[in-house]
Amino acid sequence: MTQKRTINELNIDFMRRRKPAAWLSGVVLLVCLLSIVFRGFDFGLDFTGGTVIELGYAQPIELSEVRAVLETQGHGGATIQYFGSRTDILIRLAPQDGVEEDSAKLSDRVFQALSQAAQGQVELRRVEFVGPQVGEELREQGGLAVLFALIGILIYVALRFEWRFAVGAVVALIHDVLFTVGIFSLFQIQFDLTVLAAVLAVIGYSLNDTIVIFDRVRENFRRMRKGTVIGIMNRSINETLSRTIVTSGTTLLVLVALYVLGGETINGFALALIIGILVGTYSTIYVATAIVVWLGLSRDDLLPVKKEGAELDLLP
């Protein structure tokens, strides 16, 4: 009777497919970069500035009815979404080119139009205004946050492992970030502060997955004296495969539930994390470890350095 093999006992040759994976990553990243350069992002009001109006209706209302009223006021491009229930509405009005209007006057005008259409069965709950200068500062600070995170990770991995591991980890993280934000640019999905927070979370998640495999690689290099670099890499990835599947799978279940049931408010956050976790799992195997191999990692790079005179100290 044949025995069933567990996931940890598999011997999948991941490194054999590293070259096709590199071509695939290169083509996809090129498309994402071209989209970012030529199409840009559909920035939310957090970055562009604008007015946020929260309304409470006495009865459930359709978003199409609210949009029809806003179009009569010249705000056809407004973002409208439910905020909790079908009676709570959140409206985001982007600043209009060539039109300068006080936020209070704008919110009063919009509210009066909606109140008249609903026969007074609506309540103005909140009005917030984000200036264009604040939005520009948030964009700059968000970009700096990603940059400093990558620099810090480069230093940390270089000190904990070896410089080849640091380069592999950072390139994999850049790959994940560009892929995630590139999808938002390619499909013109709204990019706001929640998406930026998700991108930073993706960096941490992907790094953790990479560190787990790098730890196993270092351990196996010291334990498997006769193994080749490619063989040890494959062995390390296979040994951590069950952990990767369980961790990524359970996290994706939660994120899919958030995306489906959480409403439009956190859709962008959940979607960015879903993309980031899928791409991060791929890049840990086919980007981070593959780059370490291409940089010429050898057993001597990971074996502890013997101090001069250490053997003499052991003599009686």
Side-chain angles (χ1 to χ4, degrees), residues 73-75 101 104-114:
Q73 300 295 314
H75 296 287
E101 185 174 7
K105 294 181 180 179
L106 173 62
S107 60
D108 287 340
R109 179 167 59 82
V110 171
F111 174 69
Q112 292 298 329
L114 292 172

Side-chain angles (χ1 to χ4, degrees), residues 28-29 31-37 39-43 47 142-143 146 150 173-203 268 271-277 279:
V28 173
L29 287 183
V31 173
C32 290
L33 283 172
L34 290 175
S35 178
I36 292 172
V37 172
R39 300 193 66 183
F41 295 99
D42 180 18
F43 285 114
F47 297 115
V146 175
L150 293 175
L173 294 178
I174 294 173
H175 169 279
D176 299 341
V177 170
L178 287 178
F179 191 100
T180 303
V181 300
I183 293 297
F184 276 77
S185 172
L186 190 62
F187 295 98
Q188 287 297 288
I189 305 171
Q190 189 175 86
F191 194 100
D192 54 20
L193 277 179
T194 62
V195 176
L196 177 60
V199 170
L200 292 172
V202 164
I203 291 176
L271 179 60
L273 281 175
I274 290 172
I275 297 171
I277 287 175
V279 177

Side-chain angles (χ1 to χ4, degrees), residues 282-302:
Y282 160 84
S283 69
T284 297
I285 298 173
Y286 286 114
V287 178
T289 53
I291 286 178
V292 172
V293 172
W294 283 327
L295 289 175
L297 181 71
S298 66
R299 185 184 303 278
D300 295 335
D301 296 322
L302 294 178

Side-chain angles (χ1 to χ4, degrees), residues 245-264:
I245 292 175
V246 171
T247 304
S248 300
T250 52
T251 307
L252 284 173
L253 284 176
V254 175
L255 292 173
V256 170
L258 281 176
Y259 182 77
V260 174
L261 304 175
E264 295 187 23

Side-chain angles (χ1 to χ4, degrees), residues 214-264:
F214 282 177
D215 260 329
R216 186 58 59 92
V217 168
R218 180 171 59 180
E219 177 184 337
N220 285 338
F221 260 107
R222 296 173 179 178
R223 183 167 55 89
M224 300 169 61
R225 295 293 180 176
K226 297 182 179 179
T228 63
V229 173
I230 297 296
I232 292 175
M233 287 292 183
N234 281 324
R235 179 69 176 271
S236 302
I237 296 171
N238 280 282
E239 287 178 351
T240 57
L241 190 60
S242 61
R243 178 260 174 202
T244 300
I245 292 175
V246 171
T247 304
S248 300
T250 52
T251 307
L252 284 173
L253 284 176
V254 175
L255 292 173
V256 170
L258 281 176
Y259 182 77
V260 174
L261 304 175
E264 295 187 23

